[in-house]
Amino acid sequence: MRALSIRLGWVLFAAVLLLVLLGPELAPHSPSRPVGPPFAAPGAVGLLGTDHLGRDVLSRMLHGGRPLLLTSALAALVGSAVGALAGLFASLVAGSRRWAAALVLRPLDVLAAVPPILVLLLVLTALPDRTGLVLAVVLTGAPLTARVARAAADQVLGRGHLEAAIARGEGWGWLLGREVLPLVAGPLLADAVLRFVSAVYLAAAAGFLGLSGTDSDWGLLIVEALPGVSLQPWALLAPVLGIALLAVGTHFIADGAGRRARSVIA
């Protein structure tokens, strides 16, 4: 059953990924040009109908998915890398020096206490573009990844092969790359997948607030569809289902990575 859910997750994720990456080339209409009356039902004017300005909802979905996905993936990658480095440093290098670990982790703990949506608003006020969105996601995700990385690395410390490597005088780079990372890669991968889902949510929230910087963001499509949801519900359901399918597929993948990680560390 679990293997089936993981395969289902990969299928969902691959389908959404393929659709998003090829979306602009597959879109039947321009995302900004009206093709029919406002809030027209699915039919002759489009497979998903039109929005409040008469634009094709399907074309806007296909054009808006790529920036959402790429921005979320880049932000999750950078945030996971920064958090993993901080957590591994706190566990391996600063483990015997509490002040050094506190110097790295305490600022991240303070950052983790700030609500993500508040971080998003503050950063996008100063940097109202994609760079600001990536920075906001990094600031909200890196503290949590640092804690996960430190917890995973703490379980590796004290093992015989690591003590033997330290006794041989191996450097920190060798210890990290050959002895530690292979054992903590699973938890870090599972965490990175979850950070990607969080990044998708924050990127969609920025679009919902009108701060995404693109006119076809899935979050923006949601807020623009709300006034006419009783007339044209597909304009609202399409972006909501797109985000949900992306998140569900990614969660299945994270579940599989997490179980593999537990078996490796055990």
Side-chain angles (χ1 to χ4, degrees):
M1 186 63 184
R2 287 181 174 177
L4 179 62
S5 67
I6 295 173
R7 292 193 188 97
L8 178 61
W10 277 110
V11 170
L12 280 176
F13 185 78
V16 175
L17 180 66
L18 189 63
L19 193 62
V20 164
L21 293 180
L22 298 179
E25 285 71 28
L26 299 175
H29 302 287
S30 166
S32 58
R33 189 179 60 190
V35 297
F39 292 127
V45 295
L47 189 61
L48 296 176
T50 61
D51 65 1
H52 67 299
L53 295 179
R55 297 170 294 190
D56 182 39
V57 173
L58 176 60
S59 298
R60 296 194 72 200
M61 278 284 298
L62 293 174
H63 276 274
R66 185 186 290 177
L68 174 72
L69 183 70
L70 295 181
T71 301
S72 302
L74 175 62
L77 181 63
V78 176
S80 296
V82 172
L85 286 175
L88 292 175
F89 175 82
S91 178
L92 303 179
V93 180
S96 57
R97 305 176 183 87
R98 290 181 177 272
W99 63 268
L103 187 65
V104 174
L105 294 179
R106 291 299 172 266
L108 295 177
D109 291 341
V110 172
L111 195 57
V114 182
I117 193 66
L118 181 57
V119 175
L120 180 69
L121 291 174
L122 291 175
V123 174
L124 287 181
T125 300
L127 292 172
D129 53 18
R130 288 281 160 186
T131 303
L133 184 54
V134 170
L135 178 60
V137 175
V138 169
L139 292 177
T140 58
L144 303 178
T145 299
R147 283 296 176 183
V148 171
R150 186 185 186 186
D154 284 347
Q155 297 184 50
V156 177
L157 293 179
R159 291 196 174 188
H161 64 93
L162 185 58
E163 295 293 338
I166 295 174
R168 293 197 305 270
E170 303 289 355
W172 285 111
W174 196 94
L175 292 174
L176 188 64
R178 299 293 296 274
E179 303 291 345
V180 177
L181 273 181
L183 294 177
V184 303
L188 293 181
L189 177 61
D191 179 78
V193 175
L194 295 178
R195 296 281 81 79
F196 170 73
V197 176
S198 299
V200 170
Y201 290 157
L202 279 179
F208 190 88
L209 296 171
L211 301 173
S212 65
T214 66
D215 58 359
S216 297
D217 188 278
W218 289 2
L220 182 62
L221 264 63
I222 292 174
V223 72
E224 288 180 348
L226 289 176
V229 66
S230 61
L231 298 173
Q232 219 293 62
W234 285 104
L236 175 65
L237 290 176
V240 170
L241 287 176
I243 294 172
L245 288 176
L246 191 60
V248 170
T250 310
H251 273 299
F252 280 140
I253 296 172
D255 184 56
R259 284 191 290 107
R260 287 186 181 181
R262 287 192 293 271
S263 64
V264 170
I265 289 180

